């Protein structure tokens, strides 16, 4: 383990977004930071998009450890950091910034891994941990091995696009993309055909019936509101024909889709794990240490479902 910071006052991490009031990130990160014995504090700051550049510079000048970015900043930030990690280039969005300085060997190193902070040159490096968050949640929380899976993905918005591309990168064998707006599903399918030709991608529901799926994944926002319709058209696909169902929505903990899937015998998981695993990855980038996953999971669960 790294020696504790020599600084009496804490160093900061922050999540920037607008709105930010309900962010679970401070509740998830602070107990983990304490567990690692780091003298850091993770705060939430409301930053409107037109002030994002200035806010990133402010954090850098104040020698913050790092930032998380949420709606509506993830794409904007691509042009506001000094260097992009491959993950941010690949997924076209930044959700994590790590501030780095040069160590005694002149190697760029995260500020969170430097104990003797000098006043040296700083740079902001942009990462994307959201895509890993999706696959880690599927692998660790639902126990899936993604290679060769047959997947029906509902939705082709921002989250759906990244999920589709990441699943193709993980070499799922067949991917069906069903979205209200077909043209968006077609765009994602074209992107997969260009970038990951090993995955067979189809727009719409599987037509040969009954078609067995390993996974149905909801990436639409349907399920967030009590009166939302199901995100799946059950006349086109029967949930009993899927082994597992993952819903990116995590509040409520059991959406109507997950309740139906459970009743149909599928193994199920909501999207809390995506939030957890993207946070785990961010903390590991900043600290260079293995994040205490269970501490983070418990803190997140208490924060989000604690009063239910
Ligand atoms: P995010 O970044 O969270 O993915 P988004 O890009 O706005 O948000 O995508 C929202 C997804 O939910 C899209 O797939 C959207 O379908 P359209 O592409 O047709 O808009 C889907 N969605 C939202 N409201 C919907 C509704 N009432 N019925 C069906 N799909 C809906």
């Amino acid at each position: 383990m790294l020696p504790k910071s020599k600084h009496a006052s804490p160093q900061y991490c922050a999540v920037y977004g607008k709105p930010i009031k309900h962010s679970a990130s401070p509740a998830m990160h602070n107990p983990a930071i304490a567990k690692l014995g780091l003298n850091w504090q993770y705060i939430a700051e409301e930053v409107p998009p037109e002030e994002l550049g200035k806010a990133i510079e402010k954090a850098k000048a104040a020698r913050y450890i790092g930032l998380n970015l949420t709606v509506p900043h993830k794409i904007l930030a691509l042009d506001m950091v000094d260097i992009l990690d491959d993950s941010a280039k690949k997924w076209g969005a930044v959700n994590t910034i790590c501030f780095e300085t040069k160590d005694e060997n002149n190697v760029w190193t995260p500020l969170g891994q430097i104990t003797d902070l000098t006043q040296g040159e700083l740079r902001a490096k942009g990462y994307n941990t959201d895509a890993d968050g999706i696959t880690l949640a599927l692998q660790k929380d639902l126990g899936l091995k993604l290679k060769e899976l047959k997947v029906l993905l509902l939705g082709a918005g921002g989250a759906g696009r990244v999920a589709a591309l990441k699943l193709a990168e993980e070499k799922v064998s067949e991917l069906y993309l069903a979205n209200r707006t077909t043209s968006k599903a077609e765009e994602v399918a074209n992107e997969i055909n260009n970038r990951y030709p090993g995955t067979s991608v189809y727009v719409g529901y599987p037509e040969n019936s009954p078609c067995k799926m390993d996974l149905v994944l909801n990436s639409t926002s349907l399920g967030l509101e009590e009166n939302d319709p199901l995100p799946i058209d059950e006349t086109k696909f029967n949930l009993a024909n899927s082994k597992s169902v993952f819903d990116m929505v995590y509040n409520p903990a059991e959406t109507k889709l997950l309740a139906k899937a459970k009743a149909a015998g599928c193994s199920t998981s909501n999207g809390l794990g995506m939030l957890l695993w993207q946070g785990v990855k961010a903390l590991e980038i900043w600290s260079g240490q293995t994040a205490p996953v269970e501490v983070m999971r418990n803190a997140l669960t208490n924060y989000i479902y604690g009063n239910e």
Side-chain angles (χ1 to χ4, degrees):
M1 195 161 117
L2 285 174
K4 289 185 184 172
S5 167
K6 293 178 181 171
H7 296 260
S9 52
Q11 295 171 266
Y12 288 97
C13 308
V15 55
Y16 287 172
K18 186 177 164 70
I20 202 65
K21 213 166 63 200
H22 298 294
S23 171
S25 293
M28 170 172 65
H29 279 285
N30 280 320
I33 286 167
K35 178 84 180 172
L36 293 178
L38 298 163
N39 188 18
W40 303 353
Q41 200 175 330
Y42 189 112
I43 56 178
E45 295 183 40
E46 180 157 303
V47 173
E50 62 277 12
E51 288 173 21
L52 180 61
K54 241 181 7 194
I56 294 172
E57 285 310 311
K58 182 205 80 177
K60 188 186 194 181
R63 303 181 90 80
Y64 278 28
I65 298 295
L67 296 171
N68 283 134
L69 303 177
T70 183
V71 178
H73 297 324
K74 294 183 188 185
I75 294 175
L76 278 175
L78 285 168
D79 295 327
M80 295 177 179
V81 290
D82 302 306
I83 182 167
L84 290 172
D85 180 65
D86 285 347
S87 58
K89 288 185 199 156
K90 196 186 284 182
W91 309 116
V94 172
N95 79 317
T96 300
I97 292 176
C98 182
F99 294 108
E100 296 181 332
T101 190
K102 287 190 174 159
D103 69 5
E104 62 277 13
N105 300 317
N106 223 22
V107 175
W108 285 108
T109 306
L111 276 186
Q113 297 170 41
I114 299 257
T115 45
D116 260 335
L117 283 180
T118 60
Q119 293 304 308
E121 196 187 347
L122 288 176
R123 72 176 187 182
K125 184 167 182 180
Y127 291 81
N128 184 304
T129 69
D130 283 332
D132 279 345
I134 298 170
T135 44
L136 283 168
L138 293 172
Q139 289 162 333
K140 309 252 187 193
D141 300 346
L142 212 44
L144 293 176
K145 292 195 171 59
L146 299 173
K147 200 172 171 195
E148 306 292 327
L149 286 201
K150 290 167 77 169
V151 182
L152 168 59
L153 177 64
L154 309 169
R161 173 185 164 270
V162 172
L165 289 163
K166 181 70 180 163
L167 287 168
E169 187 188 49
E170 298 288 335
K171 299 189 167 52
V172 298
S173 62
E174 291 179 31
L175 190 52
Y176 293 83
L177 304 176
N179 193 46
R180 174 178 62 179
T181 311
T182 307
S183 58
K184 282 207 228 161
E186 283 167 351
E187 272 174 41
V188 175
N190 288 338
E191 201 175 347
I192 289 176
N193 282 329
N194 290 331
R195 287 173 64 174
Y196 303 105
T199 293
S200 302
V201 59
Y202 309 93
V203 172
Y205 286 87
E207 278 173 8
N208 49 332
S209 125
C211 186
K212 302 280 184 191
M213 288 288 137
D214 297 297
L215 169 68
V216 172
L217 199 169
N218 175 41
S219 74
T220 76
S221 46
L222 293 178
L224 280 170
E225 303 295 333
E226 204 178 329
N227 293 323
D228 279 347
L230 278 178
I232 192 163
D233 182 344
E234 291 184 288
T235 65
K236 296 194 172 143
F237 187 82
N238 181 346
L239 286 170
N241 286 323
S242 184
K243 286 186 193 148
S244 50
V245 176
F246 186 94
D247 197 337
M248 284 193 185
V249 175
Y250 58 80
N251 203 0
E254 186 173 83
T255 58
K256 282 185 205 153
L257 176 71
L258 291 183
K260 282 208 150 207
K262 229 186 233 177
C266 314
S267 44
T268 59
S269 173
N270 72 25
L272 195 76
M274 286 172 51
L275 190 56
L276 168 69
W277 290 103
Q278 64 75 31
V280 165
K281 286 279 142 188
L283 186 54
E284 291 182 346
I285 289 167
W286 297 328
S287 69
Q289 300 188 55
T290 302
V293 177
E294 288 316 309
V295 169
M296 296 174 82
R297 190 193 297 277
N298 289 339
L300 200 51
T301 307
N302 282 340
Y303 180 82
I304 292 173
Y305 307 121
N307 298 327
E308 283 182 2

